[in-house]
Amino acid sequence: MQAQKFYFPITAVTDSLVLEQQMSGLASKLMTQPPLLKLKQQNPLNFSDNLFRLEIISKEYKKSIITLSDYRNQFAEHNMAGYKFIAYEVYSLAKLTEKTENILFPNALQKAFDKKYNSLSDKMLPRLEISFDGDVHNFRKVLKKTLDKQKDTDSIDYPSALALCKSYLDYKAYSRIKPQVMQLLALKDREKFIIETKDFKTKNGNTLTITIIRKKENKSPLPVILTNNIYAGPLDSYFGKRVAIYNYVGAVVNTRGKRTSNDVNNPFEHESQDIYEVIDWVSKQPWSNGKVGMIGGSYLGFSQWAAVKKLHPALKTIVPQVAVGIGIDYPAQNNIFMSYMLQWINYVTNNKFTDEADFNNFPKWDSINTAWYKSGKSFRALDSISGKPNTIFQRWLDHPGYDAYWQKMVPYQQDFAKINIPILTTTGYYDDDQIGALSYFKAHHRYNKNANHYLVIGPYNHGGAQSFGFTFVNGNPIDPVARISIDDLAFSWFDYILKNGKKPDLLKDKINFQVMNTNTWKHVSDLEKMHTSTLKFYLQNHNEKTPSVFKTPENKSFTLQTVDFKTRDQKETYHTVSKNDSIKTTNSLYFESEVLDKDLIMSGNISGFFNVSINKKDIDTDTYLYQIKPDGKAFLLSTHIVRASYAKDNEHRQLLKPGKTEQIPIKNSIMMSKKIEKGSKLVLLVGVNKSPSWQINYGTGKDVSDETIKDAGEPLEIKWYNDSYVEIPVYKE
């Protein structure tokens, strides 16, 4: 059905009036097409997302507002999620008002904005600037690019038509409302807040930009909540206003080289030094009562750990959310560098703010990574292949082990023993920086037996664990008890520590984790108590000779895997697990368990050992644990990737000896807590990383960043011995 063509005149590409005339009819046709109607059953969220856009373009504004409301209710059970769609809602409401009241669009937009603004809770207001601050210039570029594909044809297929409708709406809506709405927002902000931005000079002569935001109604000195933000731009205002709404002073400092700073921007390197001086300054200002806390996620979470490397007396607590574990899970995860690092470096260093258009140009970055992969050049060549050599990228590659370069940025070993302030860490089972966030938590408790440090982890992705729990994550429904406001939790914590308030109800013990598919939270005193036993999944398949993969093999054997690193055009392979699903198995071996005869709660990190023999000096192993649900759908439970030569010690490389049986420990895997229903099966994939998304380890023992396809030599041969096992943590009441 998606091959169906719709009439779309060639003149619409160059004539904006013709385009305007055609879009409404095209959108109306798309709403009745089988692909969209089928999506309603397969993915209700994506269906609603497409539908409200098509309704706006087809001028069915009343319907679009209803669809948007339904969409928000699916997206999350509280209005915190609504900010993502407010711009479209206000545009629809303005167009509807323009028509029904027969007034000019600017007047209708003012009415629509006022109505929506007045309907929102105070906690929603800081998010509005982010929602309305769309990149109109980039929206126009995307629309032109989409239209250019139609230059030589008078018909358009369904996928292209849907893409055209989306890009058309983005440009049309934001170009019409952004200038006026941003002015209206600024007026509202001046009524509610005192906003000051100033340059701050450090003792060594560097310049940082600081934004201070306070509620006008708060006259007395208050605790200051500081955020260290490399993502300069609208987020500065958002972070500051969010803090002020909760009745604190918001202080947002940008890193070196951002906004008005002309210093060199070297991400991660100077936070510990700079934040100490900023804390000293804010704690002594007349609007401060001398107490400082910190909050923020990802890089902003890392910044808080940098801040406690040298702890300022005024810093009373930190709330690191989804914190980057520098050198631990970024820019390398378990010592394997990721291609994404170059995309991110450009994002934060291309200009004094953030280069959103470049960062979100996923086809560009996919093509760069693919070009590198197919070229067979060294990983060091990735920046040159992108057309923009990068000294930061090269400097990071010079440190493949967790050495002094990374160690000096955050607390290391005994540094954690000196951290005696209360801390609240939040992360999620789907968080890209879960490994980093947990690495700080583990180290703090390892070196400080009296660490006053709490953890909250649930079914959240990188964004959710620093904002709010969605209704769906990765297309999977989330238990109602997990759909909490992380903001409310964080500021309840600040009230508890900085204002002698009540301890947040959720924090019943040091580790607070949501068990997916049970609608319950559990609370334990340390990570090891997240599970009560373990289940060893050996590298064998369930069959007549092997009644259970969970029992030690009677006879030692191995499965041989061969990977040719010289091949760059291999086809992806998939294993059909049921009529409803399949799993990608490229460069992996597939092991499947028997059907589980009772419910099983997996809770914690997978661990274990791989016993292998290879014909080279090193490999990067890749592990995936899946649940095959009773309905035949696959659910990813955990992953693990590691450079074998660093698996025992991430600071010092220990090469493997070809032909010798070696043991590779499984550490720093992705944590999960979920009930696995009776009637499910478990599937284990083990194999070798060979992907454009990561470095490729050719196994010579040289610095992997310098290896090329010329180092591939003979194909890699791995003997995976069947006494290898992945240990699954199991929780029983």
Side-chain angles (χ1 to χ4, degrees):
M1 283 292 184
Q2 294 203 14
Q4 182 179 350
K5 301 276 189 176
F6 305 93
Y7 173 68
F8 190 76
I10 294 176
T11 51
V13 174
T14 54
D15 191 323
S16 59
L17 288 177
V18 177
L19 179 64
E20 178 80 18
Q21 293 165 359
Q22 291 296 318
M23 291 306 298
S24 177
L26 181 62
S28 296
K29 289 176 185 174
L30 295 184
M31 282 192 286
T32 63
Q33 296 306 304
L36 184 67
L37 301 177
K38 189 176 180 183
L39 194 61
K40 187 174 184 179
Q41 304 299 323
Q42 295 175 335
N43 193 323
L45 276 177
N46 284 353
F47 168 77
S48 297
D49 186 84
N50 288 331
L51 181 62
F52 87 74
R53 298 170 196 274
L54 296 175
E55 286 173 337
I56 294 174
I57 298 169
S58 59
K59 302 179 181 178
E60 296 184 18
Y61 302 117
K62 227 180 238 186
K63 287 184 179 179
S64 73
I65 292 168
I66 294 170
T67 301
L68 271 165
S69 178
D70 292 341
Y71 187 16
R72 278 199 303 273
N73 291 336
Q74 294 178 70
F75 204 76
E77 290 186 341
H78 42 74
N79 67 4
M80 297 300 285
Y83 83 96
K84 288 181 173 289
F85 318 107
I86 283 176
Y88 301 108
E89 185 176 356
V90 168
Y91 176 75
S92 280
L93 193 55
K95 294 299 290 183
L96 186 62
T97 305
E98 177 187 36
K99 183 179 179 182
T100 56
E101 298 187 20
N102 194 26
I103 58 176
L104 295 174
F105 184 78
N107 297 334
L109 181 56
Q110 168 109 40
K111 282 193 167 191
F113 172 80
D114 287 341
K115 181 178 180 181
K116 188 62 188 176
Y117 187 94
N118 293 331
S119 74
L120 298 173
S121 68
D122 280 355
K123 292 173 185 177
M124 275 290 296
L125 302 182
R127 300 179 183 272
L128 292 181
E129 185 177 347
I130 300 172
S131 179
F132 287 108
D133 192 30
D135 188 342
V136 175
H137 177 71
N138 190 53
F139 288 153
R140 184 172 187 171
K141 280 173 60 178
V142 173
L143 175 59
K144 184 179 184 304
K145 192 173 179 180
T146 310
L147 283 170
D148 284 346
K149 294 178 181 178
Q150 297 300 127
K151 274 184 176 178
D152 302 316
T153 178
D154 62 359
S155 65
I156 188 169
D157 61 31
Y158 176 86
S160 300
L162 187 61
L164 174 60
C165 285
K166 289 181 177 181
S167 60
Y168 173 80
L169 177 63
D170 286 343
Y171 174 65
K172 186 173 179 66
Y174 278 92
S175 63
R176 288 299 304 275
I177 70 173
K178 179 179 173 179
Q180 185 178 343
V181 167
M182 296 302 275
Q183 288 181 342
L184 294 172
L185 272 176
L187 288 172
K188 294 288 188 184
D189 284 348
R190 284 198 289 272
E191 292 173 7
K192 189 177 285 288
F193 303 107
I194 298 171
I195 302 175
E196 303 170 280
T197 300
K198 63 169 291 188
D199 285 349
F200 175 81
K201 290 288 185 182
T202 65
K203 291 176 182 177
N204 60 6
N206 295 107
T207 301
L208 308 174
T209 305
I210 296 183
T211 301
I212 307 295
I213 300 183
R214 297 174 283 148
K215 256 165 102 172
K216 280 188 173 180
E217 65 187 55
N218 290 329
K219 307 296 184 183
S220 301
L222 291 167
V224 178
I225 306 300
L226 173 66
T227 300
N228 180 77
N229 185 30
I230 197 171
Y231 305 107
L235 283 175
D236 298 323
S237 174
Y238 161 65
F239 290 134
K241 287 186 285 187
R242 176 182 65 168
V243 169
I245 286 293
Y246 282 94
N247 293 306
Y248 290 86
V249 175
V252 184
V253 60
N254 298 124
T255 57
R256 296 185 191 183
K258 308 304 286 187
R259 281 195 181 268
T260 56
S261 171
N262 291 319
D263 299 313
V264 176
N265 179 1
N266 285 314
F268 299 103
E269 294 192 5
H270 305 293
E271 263 59 7
S272 183
Q273 174 187 345
D274 291 350
I275 294 172
Y276 188 93
E277 293 187 41
V278 171
I279 291 172
D280 191 68
W281 181 80
V282 298
S283 67
K284 296 173 181 176
Q285 299 310 301
W287 29 257
S288 167
N289 71 356
K291 295 180 180 179
V292 179
M294 290 187 72
I295 192 173
S298 198
Y299 189 99
L300 290 60
F302 145 81
S303 297
Q304 295 168 68
W305 286 109
V308 296
K309 176 90 169 175
K310 181 186 177 185
L311 189 60
H312 192 286
L315 184 60
K316 304 302 182 183
T317 185
I318 59 173
V319 181
Q321 302 164 319
V322 298
V324 170
I326 189 64
I328 300 290
D329 71 350
Y330 180 82
Q333 185 174 128
N334 293 333
N335 301 89
I336 306 173
F337 284 106
M338 55 189 73
S339 306
Y340 167 78
M341 61 194 273
L342 181 61
Q343 181 180 354
W344 184 87
I345 291 168
N346 280 276
Y347 177 48
V348 297
T349 63
N350 278 355
N351 58 50
K352 290 182 179 292
F353 295 92
T354 51
D355 194 339
E356 302 291 338
D358 183 73
F359 182 74
N360 293 311
N361 188 350
F362 299 115
K364 168 192 167 178
W365 289 103
D366 285 346
S367 67
I368 289 170
N369 295 340
T370 300
W372 160 74
Y373 177 78
K374 290 189 173 180
S375 74
K377 292 182 178 180
S378 72
F379 193 70
R380 280 194 184 276
L382 182 64
D383 58 341
S384 297
I385 290 171
S386 78
K388 189 177 180 182
N390 190 288
T391 56
I392 297 169
F393 176 78
Q394 295 296 330
R395 183 160 65 246
W396 288 359
L397 294 183
D398 288 339
H399 302 278
Y402 189 65
D403 61 14
Y405 175 75
W406 309 111
Q407 294 164 10
K408 70 180 180 182
M409 299 179 192
V410 289
Y412 176 68
Q413 293 186 355
Q414 291 302 324
D415 292 339
F416 284 100
K418 304 171 188 175
I419 303 171
N420 291 313
I421 61 172
I423 298 172
L424 173 62
T425 285
T426 61
T427 182
Y429 304 136
Y430 303 95
D431 173 24
D432 298 323
D433 281 307
Q434 182 205 104
I435 291 172
L438 292 179
S439 71
Y440 297 117
F441 184 83
K442 292 173 184 175
H444 192 196
H445 283 278
R446 182 182 308 124
Y447 292 102
N448 186 336
K449 300 306 178 186
N450 298 312
N452 186 8
H453 190 164
Y454 288 77
L455 170 69
V456 171
I457 183 168
Y460 312 123
N461 59 17
H462 194 60
Q466 55 182 316
S467 56
F468 48 81
F470 298 95
T471 305
F472 289 82
V473 179
N474 289 10
N476 299 304
I478 299 309
D479 290 346
V481 296
R483 301 169 194 172
I484 64 173
S485 167
I486 303 294
D487 282 354
D488 284 349
L489 173 66
F491 283 93
S492 293
W493 172 265
F494 286 132
D495 289 347
Y496 169 54
I497 301 299
L498 301 175
K499 295 182 177 179
N500 298 314
K502 179 188 172 189
K503 185 179 178 181
D505 291 337
L506 184 59
L507 306 182
K508 291 183 169 57
D509 214 324
K510 290 295 177 67
I511 290 90
N512 306 274
F513 61 102
Q514 203 270 312
V515 185
M516 294 172 60
N517 205 25
T518 69
N519 202 35
T520 59
W521 286 87
K522 298 292 182 185
H523 315 273
V524 294
S525 58
D526 65 62
L527 289 173
E528 288 304 309
K529 292 181 180 176
M530 285 183 67
H531 62 274
T532 55
S533 62
T534 59
L535 190 63
K536 293 179 179 178
F537 189 139
Y538 290 92
L539 297 198
Q540 53 190 348
N541 276 298
H542 165 67
N543 52 42
E544 290 181 3
K545 293 182 179 179
T546 308
S548 177
V549 302
F550 305 122
K551 292 184 178 179
T552 308
E554 293 182 3
N555 300 303
K556 187 172 180 178
S557 63
F558 61 82
T559 304
L560 181 65
Q561 182 185 14
T562 302
V563 179
D564 188 351
F565 286 113
K566 293 194 293 290
T567 304
R568 286 293 187 271
D569 56 357
Q570 71 186 102
K571 292 183 179 179
E572 306 286 12
T573 59
Y574 294 84
H575 185 100
T576 301
V577 296
S578 73
K579 63 181 180 181
N580 293 326
D581 214 345
S582 61
I583 293 176
K584 184 178 174 182
T585 55
T586 314
N587 299 316
S588 293
L589 300 178
Y590 180 96
F591 300 98
E592 184 176 274
S593 80
E594 62 268 32
V595 174
L596 302 179
D597 59 5
K598 56 185 176 182
D599 290 347
L600 174 75
I601 293 180
M602 171 186 167
S603 190
N605 296 97
I606 60 171
S607 56
F609 295 92
F610 291 130
N611 293 312
V612 302
S613 173
I614 66 173
N615 60 339
K616 296 181 184 289
K617 296 179 180 179
D618 204 3
I619 54 170
D620 293 346
T621 65
D622 214 358
T623 307
Y624 299 84
L625 178 66
Y626 285 91
Q627 171 195 4
I628 308 303
K629 299 193 287 187
D631 65 2
K633 289 284 187 180
F635 185 99
L636 182 59
L637 294 167
S638 183
T639 63
H640 179 257
I641 188 170
V642 71
R643 179 150 296 153
S645 57
Y646 281 107
K648 294 176 182 175
D649 181 351
N650 67 353
E651 296 183 27
H652 304 102
R653 195 176 189 193
Q654 302 171 52
L655 295 174
L656 282 63
K657 294 182 180 178
K660 180 187 175 185
T661 301
E662 303 266 12
Q663 193 170 75
I664 303 171
I666 301 168
K667 299 185 291 186
N668 292 333
S669 62
I670 295 297
M671 175 183 285
M672 173 67 70
S673 184
K674 181 181 186 291
K675 184 178 84 172
I676 299 168
E677 307 94 326
K678 172 184 176 181
S680 299
K681 291 186 288 188
L682 295 179
V683 164
L684 186 62
L685 298 186
V686 298
V688 177
N689 167 61
K690 182 189 172 191
S691 161
S693 299
W694 302 87
Q695 280 180 314
I696 294 178
N697 185 351
Y698 292 94
T700 64
K702 297 192 297 187
D703 186 334
V704 175
S705 296
D706 296 324
E707 289 181 316
T708 73
I709 201 166
K710 293 178 182 177
D711 293 301
E714 61 183 6
L716 170 68
E717 291 186 350
I718 319 164
K719 295 176 180 177
W720 296 91
Y721 288 96
N722 64 345
D723 58 351
S724 305
Y725 60 84
V726 168
E727 200 162 16
I728 300 165
V730 176
Y731 180 86
K732 292 180 181 177
E733 295 285 0

